[in-house]
Amino acid sequence: MQKINPDIIIEAIDEQLTNQNAMTLLNGFEVIVDATDNFSTRYLINDCSYLLNIPLVSASILRFEGQLCVLNYKNGPSYRCLFPDPPSPEQIPNCSQAGVFGFLPAMLGSMQANEVIKILLGTCQVLSGQLWIYNTLSNQLQTIEVERNDSLLETFYEG
């Protein structure tokens, strides 16, 4: 990346994200990208993003479906507005158990990169307040409007 743009600074962080270090590790970034494969980490990243007031570009995949959304962007909804509580581990299979259609990670990663660029440019319409869902079997694209739930957020983060 530095060969393409020598003015950028790349800082590798070789540390596992935990409840104890997440706020410190994520603080100071302009955008956070979540490409994790488990709900506990996804909620941890979202909560830090909300508390630090840093936009979060989140994607998830399972079997033949991918989801993408921009969260905590300019007073937009949080992941907890979509899903207030994490599911129990028994409710949702992980990718290694259920499988993933091969090109979905690349597709969703590209879409995430697109949203990050739009956020950094500040001049484009960002996928905030919407959950984008793509089903590869039916080739159906669905967009669900997501409202910010201030009472839920206040209860969770201040209560």
Side-chain angles (χ1 to χ4, degrees), residues 3-157:
K3 285 182 182 178
I4 295 171
N5 183 353
D7 297 327
I8 64 171
I9 298 169
I10 298 173
E11 179 183 345
I13 301 171
D14 187 19
E15 193 172 341
Q16 184 171 351
L17 191 70
T18 67
N19 290 336
Q20 291 73 33
N21 68 12
M23 290 290 283
T24 302
L25 289 178
L26 297 175
N27 191 23
F29 289 98
E30 291 182 57
V31 180
I32 298 170
V33 177
D34 173 21
T36 59
D37 66 351
N38 66 79
F39 283 100
S40 60
T41 306
R42 183 166 290 132
Y43 278 87
L44 173 62
I45 291 170
N46 171 75
D47 293 343
C48 291
S49 163
Y50 176 85
L51 294 169
L52 294 168
N53 196 30
I54 301 171
L56 170 62
V57 181
S58 181
S60 62
I61 56 175
L62 187 62
R63 295 186 183 110
F64 299 97
E65 187 174 280
Q67 299 180 359
L68 175 72
C69 56
V70 174
L71 304 161
N72 307 316
Y73 178 73
K74 293 187 177 181
N75 233 9
S78 170
Y79 193 72
R80 290 191 183 272
C81 297
L82 273 167
F83 308 106
D85 298 305
S88 68
E90 306 82 42
Q91 287 179 302
I92 306 291
N94 63 35
C95 293
S96 62
Q97 295 167 328
V100 171
F101 200 42
F103 79 94
L104 268 175
M107 180 183 168
L108 270 290
S110 295
M111 297 298 294
Q112 280 182 291
N114 183 54
E115 291 303 310
V116 169
I117 291 167
K118 291 184 334 185
I119 290 168
L120 294 175
L121 289 175
T123 58
C124 305
Q125 184 175 348
V126 173
L127 194 63
S128 179
Q130 299 175 323
L131 175 64
W132 184 86
I133 304 168
Y134 179 65
N135 183 305
T136 61
L137 292 179
S138 64
N139 242 1
Q140 294 290 314
L141 176 61
Q142 182 180 14
T143 304
I144 298 172
E145 298 294 320
V146 180
E147 297 287 326
R148 181 179 166 98
N149 185 336
D150 286 318
S151 62
L152 177 125
L153 296 173
E154 287 173 14
T155 301
F156 185 80
Y157 293 110

